[in-house]
Amino acid sequence: MSFMNKVKSGFSEAGSKAKIVVEVNKLKLQNSNKQREIEKLYQNIGRLFFLNAVGRLEDVAEANYQSDVAEIVRLESEIEENKKQIKTLTNEKDCVCGKPASLDARFCPSCGHTFSATDG
């Protein structure tokens, strides 16, 4: 391979890695925003129960907060999907210890767990 071909290959690889970093950061930002939405929903549910507890609101019916609960579940599901996409983009898998490992790793670098052929 000539010098120029090596340079072109290096630029191409750097460009691909940069795209991956941008996509991963975009997914992380989405997750952060979704987590903030979840916190607001938790606060709303808590406010309803507080107002009920101090007598400022008549019985809190499930209908008052069920839509917030459904929205939290939906957002949590989206966060998990984004995390899976991040793992795919970064070629990582989770170990049983909770630490990330390279997709092709046979052993966890943190705890030494042996991955089976079906892990990943």
Side-chain angles (χ1 to χ4, degrees), residues 2 9 17 20-21 26 85 87 94 106 109 119-120:
S2 73
S9 175
K17 287 183 179 182
I20 290 170
V21 168
K26 183 178 102 177
Q85 285 182 347
K87 293 287 182 200
D94 285 329
R106 293 178 49 197
D119 288 341

Side-chain angles (χ1 to χ4, degrees), residues 8 11 25 47 49 60 65 67 75 87 102 112 114 120:
K8 287 179 187 176
F11 280 132
N25 285 336
R47 183 181 53 78
F49 280 90
V60 174
Y65 61 87
S67 63
L75 289 168
K87 293 287 182 200
S102 173
T114 303

Side-chain angles (χ1 to χ4, degrees), residues 33-47 68 72 75:
N33 290 337
K34 290 176 192 302
Q35 195 59 50
R36 277 195 291 280
E37 287 180 52
I38 288 171
E39 291 301 319
K40 287 179 186 176
L41 293 166
Y42 282 149
Q43 289 175 359
N44 188 47
I45 293 169
R47 183 181 53 78
D68 288 347
I72 289 170
L75 289 168

Side-chain angles (χ1 to χ4, degrees), residues 102-116:
S102 173
L103 199 55
D104 58 354
R106 293 178 49 197
F107 302 95
C108 175
S110 297
C111 72
H113 170 76
T114 303
F115 294 110
S116 69

Side-chain angles (χ1 to χ4, degrees), residues 17 27 31 55 64 84 87 89 115:
K17 287 183 179 182
L27 291 168
N31 282 357
N64 293 55
K84 287 178 187 175
K87 293 287 182 200
L89 287 168
F115 294 110

Side-chain angles (χ1 to χ4, degrees), residues 48-92:
L48 287 173
F49 280 90
F50 171 78
L51 292 173
N52 182 51
V54 296
R56 294 186 208 156
L57 185 66
E58 293 300 314
D59 290 325
V60 174
E62 189 174 328
N64 293 55
Y65 61 87
Q66 194 58 42
S67 63
D68 288 347
V69 171
E71 183 67 4
I72 289 170
V73 170
R74 184 187 70 77
L75 289 168
E76 287 176 338
S77 174
E78 289 177 6
I79 287 171
E80 286 307 310
E81 284 302 312
N82 283 353
K83 286 180 179 180
K84 287 178 187 175
Q85 285 182 347
I86 290 170
K87 293 287 182 200
T88 300
L89 287 168
T90 59
N91 290 320
E92 290 182 339

